[in-house]
Amino acid sequence: MTEFSRRRMLGLIGAGLAAPTILRAQDTSVLRVGGMLPLSGPGSIEGHQVLKGLEMAVAEANAAGGVFGRQLELVMEDDEANSTKGVTAVRKLIERDEVPFIIGTYPTQVVIAATQVAKEYGVPMLSGGSTGAAGTEANEVGDPWFFRAWPDSNGQGEDTAKAIVHQFGARRVAILHDSTNYGNTLADQVTSLVQAEGGEILSRDSFNVGEPDFSPVLIRLRSERPDAVYIGGWAGDGANIVRQAAEVGLRTQFVGSGSMVSDDFIELAGPASEGFAVATLYESSTPNTFGHDFGQRFKALNGYEAGTLNALGFDSTNVAIEAMRRAGAPDSRAVQAMLKDGMADFPITMGPDGTTADFDDTGGVRFPMFIAVIKDGKRTI
C-alpha cells in the first residue's frame, strides 16, 4: 500500500469514527419541562385550570417544531398544596427528569419552600398561579429564581380596595379571609387601603381552609349590614361563603380574591354568584390583542372560554419556553439569566394591550388589574 493510500484509508476510518459524535450533537430526543400544581386536595380546582394553560403552551410549541429541533414533554407533579410534597416534587423533577425550569406552583407557602430547593440546584421556577407577595419577596433582589409574570397580592389588594370604595361606593367593609399567607396578605392590603381611601373596616374574620359552615359569622355580618364583604382565599371556600350568605339572607356586594376568577367558582356558588366581583388579570373580553388571540385559540381547543387561571399557566409556560429558546440551550442557569434581563419585549396574555414579561429585580411584573362582575352567570370586565 502506498503512503498516499495509507493516509487516505486512515482518513476514511477517522471520518467513520467521528460520525457518531456528529449524530449525538443533533439531539432529537424529547426535551422534558417540569410542572407542579395542586391537582388534588385544597387548590385542586384552581390547579386543574392552570394546568390547561401549561398544556396548551407546550402543545403550541411542539406544533411549531419544538425547541432546538426537539419535541417538549410536560412532566407534572401533584404537590397537593403541601410544602413537604412540593419540595419532594422539585427534587424529582430536577434529579429524575432533569428539567431546565419548573412551572409551579399555586399556593404561596409551597412556592417559598420549593423555590429554596430549586435555587440550590440552579433551576428557575415560574409561578403556577401564585400571587402571594411573599413568593417574590423571598428572592434576592437582582438575582430572582422565582418569577411571576403578573402583579402580586399587594397589587391585587390595592386594585381591589380602590374598586370597593370607588367603583362600588362601599364605605363600611367587612373582611373574611383564610389563615394562609395568601389570605392574610390580601386582608392586610385591603384593610389598609380601604381605610386610606376613606372607608371603614367593620370587622375582620379569618377561617381555616375547607371550613364547612360559615353561617355564624354570616349571621353576625347580616346584623352589621356592611356595604361590601371582601373574601380572600380559595375558590371553594369563597363559593361556600357566597352561597351560605344567600341562605341566611345576607345581601351585600361581595368582592373576592383572584383565586375566584374561574367558572368553577360560578358553578359552585350557583345563582348566589350573581353580582360577585373579583380582581382579574384576564378575561375573554380583554383589550389585550395578544390575549384576545390566545382566548380564541383556547376556546377552539377546549370548547369553552379562557379565564385568568388558564392564562396564568399559559403565560408562565410560554415565557419559560421562549427564554430557553433565546438562551440557546436547555441550560437552567442560562434560562434564569434570560428571564432576568432578556424578556422585556415578549408579550403576555394578561393586562392592558402591549403588556410584556418585563420582570423587575425581584422577579415580578406590575400592571393594573381589571375588575370583573358576574352577570347572567358570566364574568364581565
Side-chain angles (χ1 to χ4, degrees):
M1 180 180 290
T2 66
E3 184 63 27
F4 175 78
S5 298
R6 186 179 292 108
R7 288 199 304 269
R8 186 170 183 272
M9 181 61 72
L10 290 173
L12 291 172
I13 294 172
L17 292 174
T21 302
I22 294 173
L23 291 174
R24 284 197 299 271
Q26 297 171 341
D27 190 352
T28 58
S29 64
V30 169
L31 175 55
R32 291 176 174 173
V33 296
M36 52 180 283
L37 291 167
L39 301 176
S40 61
S44 60
I45 292 173
E46 295 87 347
H48 280 280
Q49 289 301 322
V50 175
L51 177 59
K52 290 287 187 182
L54 273 70
E55 293 172 334
M56 180 173 168
V58 170
E60 289 192 341
N62 283 335
V67 181
F68 315 130
R70 302 168 65 181
Q71 291 286 286
L72 303 180
E73 178 186 350
L74 177 62
V75 183
M76 288 300 304
E77 288 290 327
D78 178 9
D79 59 49
E80 301 179 29
N82 179 285
S83 295
T84 300
K85 292 183 181 295
V87 167
T88 300
V90 166
R91 294 188 185 279
K92 284 183 179 179
L93 290 169
I94 296 173
E95 295 177 355
R96 179 194 64 195
D97 301 307
E98 301 181 339
V99 299
F101 59 79
I102 297 172
I103 309 300
T105 179
Y106 195 86
T108 301
Q109 71 271 18
V110 184
V111 161
I112 294 170
T115 303
Q116 290 176 346
V117 176
K119 181 180 178 180
E120 291 174 4
Y121 282 93
V123 176
M125 291 184 63
L126 293 90
S127 177
S130 167
T131 58
T136 43
E137 288 173 352
N139 280 327
E140 179 182 343
V141 176
D143 190 34
W145 285 87
F146 174 70
F147 295 84
R148 182 197 300 105
W150 53 86
D152 62 19
S153 53
N154 291 332
Q156 183 186 133
E158 179 179 349
D159 293 339
T160 302
K162 289 180 178 178
I164 289 172
V165 175
H166 300 297
Q167 183 173 333
F168 300 113
R171 289 294 182 269
R172 302 169 67 254
V173 181
I175 296 176
L176 297 175
H177 66 94
D178 70 30
S179 55
T180 67
N181 174 271
Y182 175 66
N184 277 293
T185 301
L186 287 171
D188 289 343
Q189 282 293 306
V190 172
T191 296
S192 61
L193 289 164
V194 164
Q195 291 173 335
E197 296 295 322
E200 173 191 0
I201 301 299
L202 291 179
S203 60
R204 175 173 165 170
D205 295 275
S206 66
F207 56 85
N208 295 322
V209 173
E211 183 75 35
D213 184 12
F214 295 94
S215 56
V217 68
L218 293 173
I219 290 171
R220 194 198 78 224
L221 290 179
R222 184 183 63 191
S223 65
E224 294 178 359
R225 304 182 67 177
D227 299 325
V229 174
Y230 174 76
I231 309 171
W234 297 107
D237 290 327
N240 281 338
I241 289 171
V242 170
R243 190 178 62 254
Q244 291 177 28
E247 293 170 356
V248 302
L250 171 57
R251 293 178 175 82
T252 188
Q253 175 64 59
F254 281 96
V255 182
S257 57
S259 60
M260 302 174 198
V261 295
S262 71
D263 290 342
D264 295 296
F265 171 86
I266 297 174
E267 182 178 348
L268 288 170
S273 67
E274 194 72 7
F276 181 87
V278 62
T280 179
L281 297 158
Y282 174 88
E283 296 297 334
S284 59
S285 57
T286 179
N288 184 320
T289 303
F290 184 77
H292 178 265
D293 292 344
F294 155 75
Q296 289 186 317
R297 300 194 310 276
F298 184 93
K299 186 174 183 179
L301 179 65
N302 295 285
Y304 61 90
E305 292 186 348
T308 289
L309 297 175
N310 311 127
L312 296 175
F314 178 85
D315 276 338
S316 281
T317 312
N318 202 39
V319 168
I321 291 171
E322 178 63 18
M324 179 172 64
R325 183 181 289 113
R326 293 184 180 191
D331 178 87
S332 299
R333 294 186 183 277
V335 172
Q336 187 249 4
M338 186 59 64
L339 288 168
K340 287 197 299 182
D341 300 313
M343 303 303 294
D345 65 328
F346 191 69
I348 61 175
T349 66
M350 297 176 286
D353 196 27
T355 303
T356 65
D358 187 9
F359 294 103
D360 61 26
D361 59 5
T362 64
V365 174
R366 180 74 175 100
F367 52 80
M369 298 181 69
F370 307 112
I371 300 296
V373 177
I374 297 175
K375 296 180 180 179
D376 300 323
K378 182 178 179 179
R379 291 179 307 279
T380 303
I381 294 176

